[in-house]
Amino acid sequence: MNAIEVTGLTKAFHGRKVVDDVSLSVARGEIAGFLGPNGSGKTTCIRMMCGLLTPDAGDGQVLGHDIRREARAIKRQVGYMTQKFSYYEDLTIEENLAFVAGLYALPAEAVRDTLAGLGLTSRRSQLAGSLSGGWKQRLALAACIMHKPKLLLLDEPTAGVDPKARREFWDEIHGLAADGLTVLVSTHYMDEAERCHRINYIAYGRLIAHGTVPEVIASAGLTTFLVTADRPGELAARLRKAPGVEQVAPFGTTLHVTGTDRAALERALTEAGASFQPGETSLEDVFIRLMGQSRDNMA
Amino acid sequence: MTGISLRRLGALLRKELIQMRRDRITFAMMLLVPLMQLVLFGYAINSDPKHLPAALVAPTQDRFSRAMVSALELTGYYDFTHVGISATEAEALITRGAVAFVVTLPSDFGRRVERGDAPQILIEADATDPSVASGAISTLGTVAAEALQRETGASPTQPPVGIVVHKRYNPEGITQYNIVPGLLGVVLQMILVMMTSMALTREIERGTMENLLALPATPVEIMLGKVMPYMGVGAVQVAVVLLAARLLFGVPFVGSFGVLAAGIFTFVLALVILGYLISTLARTQMQAMQLTFFFFLPSLMLSGFMFPFRGMPGWAQTLGEVFPLTHFLRLIRAVMLKGAGQPDIAQPMAALMVFVLVYGLLALARFRRTLD
């Protein structure tokens, strides 16, 4: 049975649908990426799955418990890391962990083990409020895995964290998944999406793509050419207007030119007199296209 | 960039007005507080209370005792709510605070008036609040004499009765005896309600509420966890005020400490839960402060702390009953100054327990387990 199996989740705030008919399944032991632009409904979805929000429509199960009726049972087995740091800034690391351990009725060793496991022992008497972003994130992760949950819901855990700390964080997540923990992690970093086993892409409240990274890229049916030019800015401006060209993204002196119709794309590039070679379509190209599509659908 | 630019000033003013309008509670306070003060000071407060409940202890009912009662009632100060009761019953009534006066006529009152040997009337006044009884007592002598003179038709050369006024519980009329115990209630109310009213709004403002809700704690556990520390704070305040009452103001303590402790405990519990209830209503700490103030102001005026409770019109007295402070003042004054025991304070005690229950249930009903 899947760790997360929800169908038709819908939630509106003040008459505006923030999440619209989202169905999601996450297998046990999987690291599932939850992607989408800001305000696309990722946080609302996660909150509905851990019982913090009541869905207007839809239902489902998390770890075999009904999300509407068994929120308490879900809370006990889920570790939820909020987007905004939500531990007590006027408590030390150790005091925060002891508070959480108390609420889960964990033995005193749990705090000590967690501190050691995450390399927080030397900083345990430091006030949470005085920690840098990376350390706050570490504390939050420590607090939500202390009770050995079966599912981790991480809401943009690496926002504002430096690359080294991000790398370490992901190593930690993969380590936990290897031990059988299921992880749903929301992010809008593409490199992080590629670290997930499967991804789910949500935009404007709708789930519009899901699968492994290669599957999602393949299903978009995009062709990308790499164009080198002396004056890429000027060429990019011209190409954007050309028929068949859907995206032009500059990467240094190279342009990534993307479109669905390979023939039309080649024609446009030849007409522009550009020298080009086939390139790989990136996840970012796919997402930008998906976002544009779903915005058109909304309009 | 020097001088005042009307455009810049306009932009600042517009932004302030928009923010003011968005914060509904603040806006309501700005309109309601002056109105409330106006009504309370204008209509409710009266420092010369009339229609005070009185009891008559008269072994025999005759035309003289009836004349006395009607003459006293005509002054407007006395309302004889209990007539023809025994001295023991009257004692219980005045201890409980159910009557403000007990008028006792001797058994052979009528005969002695007729004989003209000026029998003595005993008027016991509850002087815990010295200002309450003063007006009533000052009119007493002349009214009683005139009434009986009319009855007997005797010459006014010699007064027909002798009047003995006995100011109970606070014979010297020391205001502090009344104020200081009441102050305990006011201090507790001010600090405890204010502190606990921040309980949940602080979590919300600091962004820790979402996490608290995601953790496995029940609403009752969260409520108790929030209010119990402040009960400890309350205990320290009680000790400080009671010691000061004794050492600095020499306020007597004639009742049982156990009985008072039980009353204080219930009162404090009601206050911290009320504060918690406010914190479930307010969205920000600022709003919590304002709601506390909005509660605090009328309770101070209508509870009988600042002005005599019996001096207020009926509607204001009814309104006053909804404040825990009103009942606590009755309780603590009765116990400390009158030595009231458990049965005497059963009524205020029950009222305080009702507050605990009602506030607690409302707070739990208001508490949102989700972020909806």
Side-chain angles (χ1 to χ4, degrees), chain A residues 219-235:
Chain A
S219 70
L222 290 176
T223 307
T224 299
F225 289 105
L226 305 182
V227 181
T228 42
D230 298 333
R231 291 160 65 195
E234 186 244 350
L235 180 63

Side-chain angles (χ1 to χ4, degrees), chain A residues 99-214:
Chain A
F99 169 70
V100 175
L103 288 183
Y104 285 109
L106 301 175
E109 300 91 77
V111 174
R112 217 178 44 228
D113 296 347
T114 309
L115 283 170
L118 283 142
L120 289 164
T121 310
S122 61
R123 289 174 175 257
R124 66 175 189 273
S125 325
Q126 202 173 332
L127 289 180
S130 68
L131 296 172
S132 67
W135 284 102
K136 276 187 179 166
Q137 176 223 42
R138 226 171 234 234
L139 165 60
L141 181 65
C144 70
I145 60 174
M146 194 166 34
H147 63 292
K148 309 238 180 315
K150 293 186 183 135
L151 170 68
L152 267 187
L153 298 171
L154 309 174
D155 194 3
E156 294 188 13
T158 55
V161 171
D162 68 51
K164 181 169 171 286
R166 259 173 67 187
R167 169 70 64 87
E168 285 166 5
F169 181 81
W170 275 94
D171 289 345
E172 179 72 33
I173 297 298
H174 274 274
L176 290 166
D179 295 339
L181 190 69
T182 310
V183 183
L184 178 69
V185 51
S186 82
T187 177
H188 37 228
Y189 293 122
M190 293 305 140
D191 60 320
E192 293 194 341
E194 284 164 358
R195 287 169 160 270
C196 299
H197 297 134
R198 289 167 69 84
I199 55 174
N200 300 276
Y201 189 79
I202 183 174
Y204 304 100
R206 296 219 177 105
L207 189 71
I208 52 179
H210 59 97
T212 62
V213 173

Side-chain angles (χ1 to χ4, degrees), chain A residues 11 47 51-54 72 75 80 82 84 86-88 90 103-104, chain B residues 203 206-208 210-218 369-372:
Chain A
K11 182 81 186 174
R47 285 177 176 171
L52 282 179
L53 283 176
T54 323
R72 287 197 63 189
K75 282 180 192 177
Y80 171 42
T82 56
K84 189 174 168 289
S86 58
Y87 290 87
Y88 298 94
D90 46 356
L103 288 183
Y104 285 109
Chain B
E203 298 267 354
R206 294 190 187 173
T208 51
E210 183 178 4
N211 200 6
L212 188 62
L213 291 177
L215 292 168
T218 66
R369 287 161 196 257
T370 61
L371 299 165
D372 286 277

